[in-house]
């Protein structure tokens, strides 16, 4: 099978700082920003300069290193340094509460901090090495997800996706779009329908950009159109990413995903979630326990800096919804495609990990 290589690298550690694609500028500009302090990383995550659960996770790992580099100059004892760095790490994960990958990656760095018995310089170097390791592993994990997912993509399929779970949501290949890339490498008749994904329009701004850059046919539709095209037989399967998956298979993803899943179920269309095992939170039993981030109201009331509704109208803006496991055909991971009963298949995947 030919290997399809995405041209995009979203986030990368360089010497003493983190370089990332600035996703607030797409599609008008494709440019990178250098993040050199812990607070800059906190703000980049919170303000969605970097977005997508796996990419946020790597940003978190980099952010711990940035805080460590800053604390080095404070003349702290080794134990004081470790205590302060753990506090900074805990603060960093509050930047976006729903994506479990952020917590997962920061915890990986915290394990190193807690277990270190060397000195400050050596600890910082350990954190740098681990951050880079997690970064490189992300690409390989996504390629495995893509190859497993490609196995269930019918020849000539039209795949619907919601939000952006591509190279720009990861380090460089993608989860849902990783499936598309791997399928397209085998079958260039594959095409994608991309939901625009209100209110921040990640599908319109980012998914279409990625696919156009990689030469994969893509059609943009509004969020309310999926049932129309499903009924007309123009969509063969749905593949989306996830920001947190509970132990029973309930999956939190960008707001509107639940609606797509209901429509897919009604029309007997397979609905897959593509995500690494690091997105599965086995500490929570169901989606009811997932904290849903509330985003600023201006994201809904304004487009390109202009009001689109009456001043003072009431707004509720949850960033995510939870798709119940009963609506999910399979969860595509780097260990294979997990099937119902998800409690058992998730447990087995972690046992084999």
């Amino acid at each position: 099978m030919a290997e399809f290589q995405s041209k995009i690298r979203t986030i990368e550690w360089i010497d003493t700082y983190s370089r990332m694609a600035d996703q607030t500028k797409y599609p008008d500009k494709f440019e990178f920003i250098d993040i050199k302090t812990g607070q800059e990383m906190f703000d980049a995550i919170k303000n969605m300069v970097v977005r997508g659960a796996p990419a946020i996770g790597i940003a978190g790992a980099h952010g711990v290193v940035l805080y460590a580099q800053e604390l080095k100059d404070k003349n702290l004892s080794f134990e004081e340094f470790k205590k302060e760095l753990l506090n900074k790490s805990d603060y960093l994960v509050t930047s976006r509460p729903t994506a479990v990958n952020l917590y997962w990656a920061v915890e990986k760095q915290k394990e190193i901090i807690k277990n270190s018995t060397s000195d400050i310089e050596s600890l910082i170097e350990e954190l740098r090495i681990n951050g880079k390791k997690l970064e490189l592993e992300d690409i390989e994990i996504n390629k495995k997800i893509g190859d497993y997912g490609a196995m269930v993509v019918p020849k000539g399929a039209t795949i619907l996706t919601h939000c952006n779970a591509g190279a720009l949501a990861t380090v460089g290949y993608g989860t849902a779009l990783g499936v598309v890339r791997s399928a397209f490498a085998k079958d260039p008749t594959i095409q994608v329908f991309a939901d625009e994904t209100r209110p921040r329009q990640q599908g319109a701004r980012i998914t279409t950009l990625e696919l156009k850059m990689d030469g994969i046919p893509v059609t943009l539709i509004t969020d309310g159109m999926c049932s129309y095209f499903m009924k007309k037989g123009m969509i063969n399967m749905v593949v989306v990413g996830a920001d947190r998956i509970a132990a029973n298979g309930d999956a939190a993803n960008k707001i509107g995903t639940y609606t797509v899943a209901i429509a897919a179920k009604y029309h007997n269309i397979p609905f897959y979630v593509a995500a690494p095992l690091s997105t599965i939170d086995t500490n929570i039993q169901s989606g009811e326990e997932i904290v849903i981030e509330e985003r600023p109201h201006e994201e809904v009331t304004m487009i390109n800096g202009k009001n689109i509704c009456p001043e003072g109208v009431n707004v509720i803006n949850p960033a995510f919804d939870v798709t119940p496991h009963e609506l999910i055909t399979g969860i595509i991971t780097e260990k294979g495609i997990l099937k119902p009963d998800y409690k058992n298949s998730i447990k087995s995947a972690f046992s084999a990990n």
Side-chain angles (χ1 to χ4, degrees):
M1 182 180 76
E3 185 177 7
F4 194 89
Q5 295 284 354
S6 169
K7 302 178 179 70
I8 300 166
R9 182 67 176 263
T10 306
I11 182 168
E12 184 176 12
W13 182 263
I14 300 174
D15 298 326
T16 59
Y17 59 89
S18 181
R19 175 167 290 170
M20 63 178 65
D22 185 348
Q23 301 194 43
T24 63
K25 304 289 180 63
Y26 299 152
D28 298 329
K29 295 179 181 178
F30 196 98
E31 60 187 31
F32 290 83
I33 183 172
D34 294 339
I35 305 296
K36 298 184 176 181
T37 71
Q39 187 59 48
E40 285 179 4
M41 184 61 81
F42 182 98
D43 294 339
I45 296 170
K46 188 167 185 64
N47 297 328
M48 296 177 71
V49 172
V50 61
R51 44 145 299 280
I56 290 171
I58 302 307
H62 289 184
V64 175
V65 183
L66 293 172
Y67 276 124
Q69 291 175 166
E70 293 173 73
L71 289 171
K72 181 183 70 171
D73 300 325
K74 287 197 170 184
N75 296 318
L76 300 171
S77 70
F78 186 52
E79 290 306 315
E80 289 171 334
F81 176 86
K82 289 172 63 174
K83 182 179 179 181
E84 186 64 24
L85 185 53
L86 289 170
N87 288 338
K88 294 287 188 183
S89 300
D90 290 340
Y91 167 69
L92 185 60
V93 299
T94 66
S95 54
R96 295 204 70 189
T98 302
V100 72
N101 300 67
L102 174 58
Y103 175 84
W104 172 84
V106 170
E107 283 297 310
K108 291 287 186 184
Q109 295 288 55
K110 284 173 65 177
E111 286 173 19
I112 291 174
I113 298 166
K114 290 173 182 176
N115 294 329
S116 177
T117 57
S118 52
D119 56 75
I120 290 175
E121 281 290 355
S122 299
L123 173 53
I124 293 173
E125 185 59 23
E126 278 187 80
L127 294 170
R128 285 194 193 112
I129 291 169
N130 193 52
K132 190 72 177 177
K133 174 174 169 282
L134 294 175
E135 179 187 318
L136 296 176
E137 283 177 351
D138 182 76
I139 296 174
E140 294 309 311
I141 285 169
N142 289 336
K143 286 180 178 178
K144 289 177 182 177
I145 290 170
D147 289 344
Y148 280 119
M151 295 177 183
V152 294
V153 177
K155 185 171 177 57
T158 297
I159 303 170
L160 174 68
T161 191
H162 186 76
C163 195
N164 173 261
L168 290 165
T170 64
V171 173
Y173 194 72
T175 52
L177 291 194
V179 172
V180 171
R181 288 186 167 100
S182 293
F184 189 79
K186 293 195 302 182
D187 175 13
T189 65
I190 297 292
Q191 63 173 316
V192 175
F193 272 31
D195 278 347
E196 63 173 345
T197 322
R198 282 281 290 151
R200 291 186 65 96
Q201 299 170 318
Q202 295 97 321
R205 293 188 302 108
I206 303 175
T207 296
T208 59
L209 174 68
E210 278 198 40
L211 295 175
K212 289 280 285 183
M213 287 176 68
D214 284 346
I216 299 174
V218 58
T219 300
L220 177 65
I221 64 174
T222 68
D223 292 0
M225 291 179 181
C226 69
S227 296
Y228 174 85
F229 290 110
M230 287 177 180
K231 186 175 182 180
K232 290 177 74 69
M234 294 173 67
I235 293 170
N236 303 107
M237 67 186 299
V238 180
V239 185
V240 300
D243 287 78
R244 189 181 296 241
I245 300 171
N248 70 342
D250 294 348
N253 192 50
K254 188 58 57 185
I255 192 75
T257 304
Y258 183 20
T259 303
V260 174
I262 292 170
K265 186 75 170 180
Y266 182 83
H267 292 94
N268 296 311
I269 293 170
F271 180 96
Y272 287 93
V273 173
L277 290 181
S278 59
T279 300
I280 301 176
D281 186 353
T282 56
N283 293 315
I284 58 173
Q285 297 309 303
S286 77
E288 294 294 324
E289 298 176 61
I290 297 175
V291 176
I292 300 298
E293 176 186 1
E294 174 75 14
R295 299 286 303 172
H297 294 177
E298 290 76 16
E299 291 181 352
V300 176
T301 62
M302 303 183 79
I303 294 180
N304 295 329
K306 295 183 178 180
N307 269 322
I308 60 168
C309 60
E311 194 75 32
V313 69
N314 189 48
V315 174
I316 303 174
N317 184 23
F320 305 94
D321 57 25
V322 176
T323 298
H325 62 274
E326 302 97 313
L327 302 179
I328 299 172
T329 307
I331 300 172
I332 308 167
T333 77
E334 68 270 30
K335 294 294 182 182
I337 301 177
L338 310 185
K339 294 282 191 174
D341 175 335
Y342 288 115
K343 285 184 180 178
N344 289 328
S345 59
I346 287 172
K347 190 180 295 183
S348 296
F350 276 96
S351 298
N353 196 26

